[in-house]
Amino acid sequence: MTETGRQSRILVTGGAGYIGSHTVVELQQRGHAVVIVDNLSNSRADVVDRIAEITGVRPEFHDFDLTDRAKTEAFFASTPDLDAVIHFAAYKAVGESMRDPLAYYGNNLESLLRVLEGMRRHGPRHLVFSSSATVYGQPDELPVRETSPVREAWSPYGSTKQMAEQILRFSVAAYGFKAVALRYFNPVGAHESALIGELPLGVPNNLAPFITQTAAGRQECLEVFGTDYGTADGTAVRDYIHVVDLARAHVAAVARMTGEKARSGLEVFNLGTGRGHSVREVIDAFERVSGVRLNVRYVGRRPGDVEKVWADTSLANRELGWKAERDLDDMMRSAWKWEQALSRRRDGASARG
Ligand code: UFG
């Protein structure tokens, strides 16, 4: 609710995507009205139906590309009552960004510029931005804090996140916005309903969907990249966070900016659990909760991977009043339930087709 008692209205760009859709659910369940803008470049329109099924409320949905200046301007001009923007819409595949950097700079930065322009001209003063732990590279000290140095980006994807944070830092100061950049560690898992989750196109790059697809027989074998890292079992360590915990942090970020603890300018928060898990531990957790043995092959390191990283989450815990509650078993259980729901849907579609 806003100060005047009106239901607050929040624009969620990329709201049909993986983290976006989970965030829309959490926002609606807390009484916020949501407007989604998504060009469905890496998502599907029926995600909006699933959100409606979970929450009983159908979010307003607009299908257009935020890099389109005229359409974005027209959207903001005709939607003057927004209270905040959560900007997820972006390309996110590291490898793809190496092959086509201009597509990444073009899409990820232009859409941010158009959104900021829309805010400046038409109203909402509050922005939550999806950043990434990739900005830290391999930190010298663990757990990594928000004050740790941002390392030279290794991929165009990571570079767009760093540049976006800089664009925000200067823009919020100049135009009097409030903004929060959330540096995600490794989001995994799915909503407990198994109605929404990650929908990787083609062969997944990330560990969790590769694990579940291997278990479902859609991939033949899971390759573990690197066994000679300086970690307890030799495999690389990350801070995996359940997507529902991550989604809830966005609700907390909106509440902070629009509430009493509001700060001007840009604030940056790590979003992780604060615990690191090795690739081997993730596999063990999956096998334990699913009862499925994975076909695993150990191969060399993947170029560009860091050895180990996990978050110091104390700033987000204290300032946002938020804490990740779900553990690795919860993440693997929900990811597996989602993969099985996808398999059933596919079987149903082929039986009908
Ligand atoms: N891994 C495997 N086999 C796979 C896939 C991944 O062993 O098939 C390993 C990786 O080598 C890594 C760990 O699992 O050690 C996690 O890999 P992910 O690809 O799931 O995640 P990353 O940590 O590489 O990626 C994350 C974010 C990106 C971000 C990147 C920066 O998902 O958005 O960190 O390095 F850009």
Side-chain angles (χ1 to χ4, degrees):
M1 290 288 158
T2 62
E3 278 164 21
T4 55
R6 178 175 63 81
Q7 192 183 32
S8 60
R9 200 154 179 242
I10 299 175
L11 167 62
V12 180
T13 76
Y18 175 41
I19 306 172
S21 59
H22 288 81
T23 301
V24 172
V25 165
E26 296 301 318
L27 287 166
Q28 293 197 153
Q29 287 179 335
R30 277 158 193 77
H32 297 286
V34 173
V35 183
I36 294 175
V37 171
D38 199 306
N39 67 355
L40 304 177
S41 68
N42 190 22
S43 57
R44 291 176 7 186
D46 66 0
V47 170
V48 179
D49 302 331
R50 304 283 100 82
I51 292 170
E53 209 175 325
I54 296 169
T55 62
V57 181
R58 171 169 291 274
E60 189 179 320
F61 172 54
H62 301 261
D63 174 0
F64 69 89
D65 190 329
L66 287 157
T67 64
D68 185 320
R69 186 186 288 253
K71 283 188 181 153
T72 305
E73 164 61 19
F75 167 80
F76 275 98
S78 61
T79 320
D81 55 347
L82 293 170
D83 298 288
V85 180
I86 306 181
H87 182 48
F88 291 105
Y91 294 159
K92 61 174 184 181
V94 174
E96 184 183 67
S97 80
M98 302 292 277
R99 291 189 293 277
D100 193 358
L102 293 181
Y104 272 66
Y105 288 111
N107 185 63
N108 292 5
L109 297 182
E110 268 185 47
S111 60
L112 175 65
L113 295 179
R114 298 291 88 83
V115 165
L116 289 170
E117 216 164 72
M119 289 173 61
R120 180 165 69 92
R121 291 163 65 94
H122 299 288
R125 319 304 292 170
H126 307 117
L127 177 75
V128 181
F129 176 71
S130 303
S131 190
S132 167
T134 192
V135 302
Y136 297 119
Q138 176 62 65
D140 294 331
E141 280 179 41
L142 290 169
V144 61
R145 289 189 301 177
E146 290 83 352
T147 48
S148 300
V150 165
R151 289 273 154 78
E152 185 159 351
W154 167 85
S155 72
Y157 162 76
S159 171
T160 66
K161 294 297 178 191
Q162 297 186 356
M163 292 168 99
E165 285 194 8
Q166 287 180 332
I167 290 168
L168 285 178
R169 200 172 301 282
F170 290 117
S171 301
V172 298
Y175 307 126
F177 299 158
K178 289 177 189 137
V180 167
L182 300 174
R183 291 178 177 164
Y184 309 152
F185 282 67
N186 288 56
V188 296
H191 193 263
E192 61 181 10
S193 63
L195 288 167
I196 53 171
E198 195 170 4
L199 280 169
L201 292 179
V203 178
N205 297 304
N206 296 114
L207 181 61
F210 211 104
I211 286 178
T212 57
Q213 288 200 8
T214 306
R218 300 190 67 213
Q219 306 295 336
E220 197 191 316
C221 177
L222 170 70
E223 291 186 335
V224 172
F225 300 135
T227 53
D228 58 349
Y229 286 111
T231 59
D233 63 19
T235 64
V237 168
R238 298 285 184 277
D239 186 339
Y240 297 91
I241 174 167
H242 197 297
V243 67
V244 172
D245 280 329
L246 197 62
R248 290 182 178 175
H250 293 75
V251 182
V254 169
R256 176 183 180 80
M257 284 188 295
T258 54
E260 285 167 8
K261 285 179 90 180
R263 297 258 177 87
S264 55
L266 173 69
E267 291 185 284
V268 177
F269 296 104
N270 286 341
L271 295 184
T273 62
R275 283 202 58 186
H277 289 288
S278 72
V279 175
R280 192 58 248 182
E281 285 177 310
V282 178
I283 295 170
D284 290 345
F286 178 81
E287 291 185 334
R288 192 168 54 243
V289 300
S290 69
V292 179
R293 286 283 294 183
L294 292 170
N295 188 13
V296 175
R297 188 163 57 225
Y298 293 91
V299 299
R301 295 182 180 195
R302 181 171 68 177
D305 273 354
V306 298
E307 180 172 79
K308 51 187 172 187
V309 60
W310 60 92
D312 183 327
T313 63
S314 50
L315 192 67
N317 298 157
R318 191 175 68 238
E319 298 298 327
L320 296 179
W322 164 91
K323 196 172 188 335
E325 289 167 356
R326 291 157 185 78
D327 66 14
L328 189 58
D329 283 8
D330 298 325
M331 299 177 212
M332 291 299 115
R333 208 177 285 115
S334 65
W336 181 226
K337 192 174 168 192
W338 166 242
E339 185 69 53
Q340 290 174 299
L342 279 180
S343 296
R344 278 195 296 276
R345 268 205 247 166
R346 247 180 249 113
D347 292 347
S350 56
R352 281 194 302 277

